[in-house]
Amino acid sequence: MGCDTKVHDICLLCVSGIQRLITHQIVSPQAGANIVSMLAQLMDWNFDSIRVLQTSMLLLSTTTCVRGKTLSSCLSLCFRLLGSGTVFRHSLMFYF
């Protein structure tokens, strides 16, 4: 619900909370599907692409709740972010 506000600071807090839930493995398969669809919406709204990629990679690498169509959507999201180049431009800004 917080990410639906489209307010950057609120979305940032929500994504951080979701990352903590994923880290503690408290995510069910239904919640995993909701997280992936929320990440796709955030990407469409031009939210921080690094945060979206971090969250999707965390979801893929630490849990087994993402399967089937949700898994393909999450992988597609990662490849779209990596292919866009915006992740690399944002990460380079932090280094210089």
Side-chain angles (χ1 to χ4, degrees), residues 2 5-16 47:
T5 63
K6 298 183 185 180
V7 177
H8 186 268
D9 293 336
I10 294 173
C11 289
L12 193 60
L13 287 171
C14 291
V15 169
S16 296
F47 185 69

Side-chain angles (χ1 to χ4, degrees), residues 15-86:
V15 169
S16 296
I18 290 169
Q19 286 177 348
R20 288 181 185 208
L21 290 173
I22 294 169
T23 302
H24 293 294
Q25 298 181 353
I26 311 175
V27 179
S28 67
Q30 178 62 35
N34 291 338
I35 290 170
V36 171
S37 66
M38 184 262 319
L39 290 174
Q41 283 182 346
L42 288 175
M43 192 181 93
D44 292 340
W45 295 336
N46 294 325
F47 185 69
D48 290 339
S49 54
I50 289 180
R51 296 281 183 181
V52 173
L53 185 62
Q54 284 174 342
T55 308
S56 59
M57 293 303 295
L58 190 63
L59 188 63
L60 287 172
S61 63
T62 61
T63 64
T64 59
C65 68
V66 180
R67 297 183 190 133
K69 186 177 178 184
T70 307
L71 176 63
S72 64
S73 298
C74 194
L75 286 172
S76 171
L77 181 71
C78 292
F79 287 129
R80 283 186 3 204
L81 283 168
L82 287 172
S84 69
T86 57

